[in-house]
C-alpha cells in the first residue's frame, strides 16, 4: 500500500508554477529522499503534503487521506519537522514536548515515556531551559522530537540536519533509521546533503523547475549515468597490461592513456581483486589501483545541469 500517492500535483504562485505536475508514489515503510536545486519546489511540495498549502490542481493522498478533503484526519497520522522550527522561545523544551503530546491526546505517563524514548536525539539536560537559550542545532533536534511525540505513521523531514554539527547529524540519521526499522515509519526526506540521501534513502526523487526529472534507488540512479571505473597507474609492463586482463569476467572495456589503464566495469568492487591478481601474475608493476564509482552528484549534474548547492527556500 502507498503511504504517499501524488497524481498531477500543481501549485502556482501567480504565473510561477512552483510544482508542475508531479507524480510519485512512496510505499509504506520506505525512506524517500527528495533532492532539488534552490527554488526547485521541494518545500512547496512538502507543505502541500502536510496540508499547509492547498494544491492548485491535482491530487495527493497521505496515510490514506486526501490532503484537501480529509486534511483534519491526515494531520493526526503525520509528523513534520520543516525548515523553520515551529518553537516558542518563551517555553522550555520540556513544555514544548508536553504540549505537543497533549495536543495529540497523550496521557501524562505516555508523554513521559515518549520523551524517554526520544532521548537519543534530545539534549535531555537542556529540556528545563527556555528554548530562547538553545543553539540552532538544539532547536532542530527538539523540533524533530516534537514531530514524533504522537508516533506518526508518516514523517516529513524538510532539511532536518541543516545547521547541525557532524555528531548531531549522525544522531539524527540513526534515529531516522531506527524509526524506520523498528516502527516501519515512512519518511519523506528533503535534504541538501547528497551523502544524507544516499545513506538513508530506499528511493530518491530529483525535482528541477517543479518537475520530477529522475527517480529510483540510489544504485539505479548512479548506474544510469555511468559504470564503475578501475584506474591502474602503471610503473612497468605497459605493453602487457591490457592483455593480462583478457578473460576476466565483468570488464566492459579497457583503455590505455599514458601511464594509466582505465577499466570500465559494472561492479568495481568485485573487479578489483581479479585485476590485481592478473597484473601480479603477468609481472605488471602497478603503483596505484583506484576505484571510482558514479555518485549522486554525478546523477544530479546529469539530470539538472548543475551541482547541488545551497538550501531550498
Amino acid at each position: 500500500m502507498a503511504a504517499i500517492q501524488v497524481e498531477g500535483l500543481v501549485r502556482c504562485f501567480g504565473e510561477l508554477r512552483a510544482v508542475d505536475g508531479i507524480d510519485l508514489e512512496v510505499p509504506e515503510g520506505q525512506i524517500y529522499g527528495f533532492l532539488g536545486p534552490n527554488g526547485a519546489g521541494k518545500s512547496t511540495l512538502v507543505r502541500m503534503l502536510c496540508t499547509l498549502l492547498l494544491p492548485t490542481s491535482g491530487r495527493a493522498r497521505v496515510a490514506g487521506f486526501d490532503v484537501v478533503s480529509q486534511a483534519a484526519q491526515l494531520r493526526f497520522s503525520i509528523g513534520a519537522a520543516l525548515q523553520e522550527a515551529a518553537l516558542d522561545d518563551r517555553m522550555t523544551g520540556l513544555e514544548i514536548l508536553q504540549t505537543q503530546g497533549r495536543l495529540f491526546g497523550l496521557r501524562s505517563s505516555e508523554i513521559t515515556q515518549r520523551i524517554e524514548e526520544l532521548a537519543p536525539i534530545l539534549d535531555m539536560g537542556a529540556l528545563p531551559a527556555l528554548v530562547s537559550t538553545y543553539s540552532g542545532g538544539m532547536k532542530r533536534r527538539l523540533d524533530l522530537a516534537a514531530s514524533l511525540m504522537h508516533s506518526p505513521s508518516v514523517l516529513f523531514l524538510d532539511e532536518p540536519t541543516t545547521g547541525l554539527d557532524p555528531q548531531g547529524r549522525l544522531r539524527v540519521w540513526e534515529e531516522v533509521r531506527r524509526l524506520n526499522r523498528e516502527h516501519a515509519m515512512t519518511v519523506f526526506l528533503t535534504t541538501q546533503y547528497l551523502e544524507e540521501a544516499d545513506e538513508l534513502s530506499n528511493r530518491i526523487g530529483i525535482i528541477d523547475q517543479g518537475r520530477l526529472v529522475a527517480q529510483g534507488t540510489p544504485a539505479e540512479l548512479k548506474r544510469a549515468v555511468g559504470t564503475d571505473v578501475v584506474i591502474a597507474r602503471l610503473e612497468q609492463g605497459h605493453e602487457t597490461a591490457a592483455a593480462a586482463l583478457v578473460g576476466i569476467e565483468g570488464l566492459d572495456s579497457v583503455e590505455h592513456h599514458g601511464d594509466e589503464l582505465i577499466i570500465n566495469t559494472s561492479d568495481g568492487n568485485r573487479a578489483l581483486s581479479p585485476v590485481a591478481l592478473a597484473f601480479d601474475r603477468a609481472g605488471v608493476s602497478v603503483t596505484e589501483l583506484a576505484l571510482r564509482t558514479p555518485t549522486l552528484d554525478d546523477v544530479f549534474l546529469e539530470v539538472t545541469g548543475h551541482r547541488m548547492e545551497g538550501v531550498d527556500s
Side-chain angles (χ1 to χ4, degrees):
M1 179 179 174
I4 301 171
Q5 191 164 23
V6 177
E7 300 174 4
L9 205 62
V10 174
R11 173 66 199 200
C12 298
F13 296 98
E15 297 297 316
L16 173 66
R17 292 172 72 91
V19 172
D20 190 6
I22 292 287
D23 295 300
L24 65 83
E25 186 173 296
V26 181
E28 288 182 342
Q30 275 200 355
I31 300 176
Y32 187 90
F34 201 51
L35 302 172
N38 292 348
K42 300 191 303 294
S43 294
T44 300
L45 177 64
V46 169
R47 292 188 182 107
M48 286 191 284
L49 296 180
C50 291
T51 75
L52 299 176
L53 192 63
L54 286 172
T56 302
S57 62
R59 298 177 55 197
R61 296 180 69 85
V62 178
F65 300 105
D66 185 274
V67 298
V68 176
S69 63
Q70 298 174 302
Q73 301 99 305
L74 188 158
R75 290 177 189 136
F76 278 89
S77 297
I78 66 171
L82 305 183
Q83 282 187 32
E84 296 298 326
L87 303 173
D88 188 338
D89 282 350
R90 297 165 297 179
M91 299 176 71
T92 68
L94 184 59
E95 288 170 342
I96 293 280
L97 297 177
Q98 290 172 334
T99 300
Q100 186 78 355
R102 286 194 293 269
L103 287 172
F104 282 95
L106 300 184
R107 297 189 297 272
S108 294
S109 59
E110 293 173 320
I111 290 172
T112 300
Q113 180 182 347
R114 285 298 292 146
I115 292 173
E116 290 174 354
E117 291 170 350
L118 293 168
I121 58 172
L122 287 166
D123 292 287
M124 297 295 284
L127 287 185
L130 291 175
V131 172
S132 60
T133 67
Y134 283 24
S135 67
M138 291 165 66
K139 288 182 179 180
R140 293 295 292 172
R141 292 196 296 275
L142 177 63
D143 191 41
L144 173 58
S147 73
L148 294 167
M149 282 296 294
H150 59 298
S151 301
S153 61
V154 179
L155 176 64
F156 289 94
L157 299 177
D158 195 12
E159 311 281 4
T161 61
T162 297
L164 297 187
D165 59 27
Q167 184 179 11
R169 187 172 299 158
L170 290 174
R171 286 166 66 183
V172 171
W173 286 11
E174 183 51 41
E175 182 63 12
V176 170
R177 290 191 186 101
R178 187 188 69 79
L179 291 166
N180 178 255
R181 180 178 64 250
E182 297 180 8
H183 303 282
M185 187 179 292
T186 305
V187 181
F188 192 95
L189 166 75
T190 77
T191 178
Q192 61 170 314
Y193 301 115
L194 296 171
E195 181 190 8
E196 185 164 87
D198 204 357
E199 284 284 333
L200 294 177
S201 305
N202 302 114
R203 288 177 62 78
I204 288 172
I206 299 177
I207 186 174
D208 190 34
Q209 298 181 8
R211 297 184 178 183
L212 194 66
V213 294
Q215 189 173 209
T217 68
E220 288 170 347
L221 291 174
K222 286 182 278 189
R223 280 199 301 269
V225 298
T227 61
D228 292 351
V229 175
V230 176
I231 302 172
R233 185 162 287 114
L234 308 175
E235 186 175 21
Q236 296 176 0
H238 294 200
E239 302 79 6
T240 58
L245 303 179
V246 173
I248 296 180
E249 187 176 351
L251 303 189
D252 299 327
S253 65
V254 179
E255 303 169 15
H256 211 147
H257 297 282
D259 289 340
E260 291 185 343
L261 209 62
I262 309 299
I263 306 156
N264 292 285
T265 173
S266 58
D267 191 337
N269 287 315
R270 182 174 294 180
L272 272 176
S273 181
V275 166
L277 287 172
F279 284 151
D280 185 58
R281 292 192 191 103
V284 176
S285 181
V286 179
T287 59
E288 183 180 353
L289 196 61
L291 171 63
R292 185 188 185 280
T293 62
T295 66
L296 281 182
D297 194 35
D298 296 325
V299 175
F300 198 86
L301 179 62
E302 176 77 15
V303 299
T304 69
H306 41 84
R307 300 285 182 186
M308 182 77 162
E309 292 181 359
V311 182
D312 198 9
S313 60

